[in-house]
Amino acid sequence: MPQAQRQFKNQTPSLRCLCASTFETSVEGLTIEKVTFKTIKQEPSPTLAEWTRNISPSALQEMLTEASRPGLISFALGLPAPEFFPAAAFAQIAGQVLSTDTRALQYSPHLQPLKRQVCELMKQRGVKCFEEQIFLTAGAQQGMSLLARLLLNNGGTVITEKFIYLGFQQVLEPFRPEILTVETSPETGMDVEAVESLLRMGHRPAFIYSITDGHNPLSVNLHPAKRERLVQLAKEYCVPVIEDDAYGFLNYSGVMSPPLRALNDRWVFYVGSFSKILAPALRAGWVVVPAELIEPLSIVKESADIDTATFTQRLVNAYLESGQFPAHLAGLREHYNIRRETMASTLEAYFPDEACWSIPESGFFFWVELPATINLDKLFKIAIEREQVAFIPGRAFSVPGSSPQTQSMRLNFSNSTPERIEEGIARLAKVLKESIRL
């Protein structure tokens, strides 16, 4: 390569901004006059916060793209069924609210009547609480985020299970905490004895994170005896429990165990959501905390979004006041139970004997354990590309550093009709059986 070219090439990797240059040079005895070319001058980049250096799109974000393919049967995402959204009722209510309430689109404090409605709703979960203990949020995700900001120091400690909701893992990332993990029994839920051992060893986490009903992703409900013991530990060691109850109202067994918050009003911080029982786009949720935490939560929230979506709060409140919600919730349980039973029977009919699962009592998911010899990456790729069916590999939910050794998948049943569940599970079973034979 000529010297001039070598010099130019060596300079370009660090250059970013275009500039014109003209010069005369000699290359291998030949004089070249007025050679014009463009160089690239480097520009500085913004310096991002240190915690962002290791972030990457979550598996769910990637799955959202994959699951959007036309014709794909997706068991991947935890979406409620849009055909069950009370859209007509909300269209009518929105018109009424906008025509009668001049403050509906204005900045305003949290809507007090909705807090009263939440107190009534919590009674269905066996929880006695008061308006001054209710803090309204833009969904459960924001509720968890605000509580984490309130309780967790940078580099602090948290206790969770080894497999937990990805959204909560994202809540924790900016704090770069030490995450202490415990196992989960597929029959009885979180290993509370392991939690007790960690506390006895002297660990004092900022909080314990628990999904007591319809666990996402493991689909198990926490056993009543374990609920009582976990609350006792929280009280004994003065460690709060953040109770994520996004699926607690969607129970299909007819027997609902009371949430942790029903057992203690001091050390359990309850997170609820209207996303699964009304519609996720409303971005409406709540937390139940000791009254003295409402003000600091308000200050933290103000820095995040100035104020919550008070128009949405008015819509939700008007819907609850209309008396339509009990029948709506009963309908959801009935329809989702049909889909749950369809998936259970179809798994039994088509999946190989080497796979195992439990039928969930609550929530949206089945957790399926597979043989250790399965190549899950290959299975996932073939399932999507050839059979046009999607699922989430279980490892996507594992807490970094916990190193769980499992081959598993999470299957969502709420967002597919019974017919598509039957078709999709049959397709997935075909790929799974081929993988086991290899």
Side-chain angles (χ1 to χ4, degrees):
M1 180 185 295
Q3 182 68 25
Q5 290 180 332
R6 284 201 302 271
Q7 291 176 349
F8 178 59
K9 183 176 180 180
N10 290 339
Q11 292 171 357
T12 56
S14 64
L15 303 175
R16 303 301 286 275
C17 226
L18 292 179
C19 304
S21 298
T22 302
F23 70 105
E24 293 185 5
T25 187
S26 175
V27 179
E28 296 183 350
L30 297 176
T31 300
I32 303 175
E33 297 182 354
K34 296 184 178 180
V35 175
T36 301
F37 61 92
K38 292 183 178 180
T39 62
I40 303 175
K41 184 179 181 181
Q42 187 174 16
E43 287 187 351
S45 299
T47 302
L48 302 183
E50 196 170 322
W51 72 269
T52 66
R53 293 177 182 175
N54 296 320
I55 63 173
S56 59
S58 72
L60 291 186
Q61 288 175 315
E62 295 174 356
M63 286 301 97
L64 185 59
T65 301
E66 294 288 348
S68 298
R69 295 187 185 185
L72 188 77
I73 297 177
S74 178
F75 302 130
L77 302 177
L79 304 180
E83 59 266 33
F84 302 145
F85 296 159
F90 271 93
Q92 181 180 10
I93 287 170
Q96 292 172 349
V97 169
L98 290 172
S99 63
T100 60
D101 189 347
T102 58
R103 300 169 300 169
L105 299 179
Q106 184 58 278
Y107 290 113
S108 59
H110 291 190
L111 192 66
Q112 203 67 24
L114 181 54
K115 292 187 178 184
R116 289 194 289 271
Q117 292 291 340
V118 169
C119 288
E120 292 299 312
L121 196 60
M122 292 300 295
K123 289 180 182 178
Q124 298 183 33
R125 296 288 284 124
V127 173
K128 182 180 180 181
C129 57
F130 306 97
E131 294 172 37
E132 53 269 24
Q133 298 171 317
I134 305 297
F135 187 81
L136 302 176
T137 66
Q141 184 74 16
Q142 186 185 60
M144 292 185 289
S145 179
L146 295 176
L147 287 171
R149 290 181 63 189
L150 194 66
L151 300 171
L152 183 59
N153 290 318
N154 288 334
T157 304
V158 174
I159 293 179
T160 76
E161 295 158 278
K162 290 188 174 183
F163 291 92
I164 60 170
Y165 168 53
L166 267 176
F168 188 71
Q169 295 187 44
Q170 292 174 319
V171 164
L172 297 179
E173 281 179 350
F175 301 95
R176 292 183 290 178
E178 178 187 14
I179 304 178
L180 306 175
T181 59
V182 299
E183 298 285 352
T184 306
S185 163
E187 291 82 25
T188 61
M190 174 187 275
D191 186 346
V192 176
E193 289 185 1
V195 173
E196 183 174 6
S197 295
L198 290 171
L199 295 174
R200 284 184 173 178
M201 289 169 59
H203 293 289
R204 290 298 177 267
F207 54 79
I208 301 164
Y209 175 69
S210 174
I211 311 172
T212 44
D213 290 281
H215 191 290
N216 181 11
L218 300 176
S219 77
V220 63
N221 288 0
L222 188 64
H223 190 276
K226 287 188 171 182
R227 296 177 192 231
E228 293 182 4
R229 184 58 184 148
L230 185 58
V231 168
Q232 290 171 357
L233 292 173
K235 183 178 180 180
E236 179 181 349
Y237 289 93
C238 300
V239 175
V241 177
I242 294 181
E243 180 176 25
D244 181 358
D245 197 40
Y247 301 97
F249 286 91
L250 295 173
N251 177 278
Y252 313 112
S253 68
V255 180
M256 286 197 299
S257 297
L260 302 178
R261 177 55 179 73
L263 305 177
N264 185 279
D265 64 357
R266 188 72 192 162
W267 293 103
V268 177
F269 302 164
Y270 178 98
V271 180
S273 175
F274 288 106
S275 293
K276 305 302 188 293
I277 55 178
L278 284 180
L282 292 170
R283 304 317 304 142
W286 69 95
V287 298
V288 185
V289 294
E292 67 267 24
L293 295 185
I294 297 296
E295 183 176 356
L297 274 175
S298 299
I299 295 170
V300 173
K301 188 177 189 304
E302 185 179 12
S303 69
D305 63 6
I306 304 299
D307 207 339
T308 193
T310 48
F311 176 58
T312 290
Q313 290 179 15
R314 282 167 165 78
L315 297 184
V316 173
N317 179 67
Y319 182 77
L320 296 176
E321 286 183 343
S322 72
Q324 301 177 67
F325 181 71
H328 169 73
L329 182 58
L332 286 182
R333 289 170 176 159
E334 178 182 354
H335 290 304
Y336 287 145
N337 187 44
I338 292 172
R339 298 181 179 200
R340 178 187 73 125
E341 291 181 346
T342 299
M343 182 166 281
S345 61
T346 310
L347 286 170
E348 186 67 34
Y350 289 102
F351 263 39
D353 294 337
E354 293 86 347
C356 60
W357 62 90
S358 298
I359 301 176
E361 295 182 4
S362 306
F364 279 179
F365 309 107
F366 279 75
W367 180 261
V368 181
E369 295 282 353
L370 304 172
T373 54
I374 290 289
N375 185 329
L376 207 58
D377 292 330
K378 186 176 180 180
L379 175 67
F380 175 77
K381 184 177 181 180
I382 295 174
I384 283 192
E385 294 182 355
R386 194 187 77 192
E387 298 298 331
Q388 293 288 290
V389 60
F391 64 90
I392 295 283
R395 68 172 179 274
F397 301 94
S398 64
V399 172
S402 62
S403 300
Q405 300 298 316
T406 183
Q407 294 288 70
S408 53
M409 61 174 67
R410 191 195 74 173
L411 302 174
N412 166 262
F413 61 83
S414 62
N415 194 43
S416 299
T417 65
E419 295 76 19
R420 286 178 69 80
I421 289 173
E422 291 175 352
E423 175 65 23
I425 292 298
R427 294 185 198 175
L428 186 55
K430 180 180 177 182
V431 181
L432 183 54
K433 289 175 180 177
E434 291 175 358
S435 299
I436 290 176
R437 287 197 296 266
L438 292 178

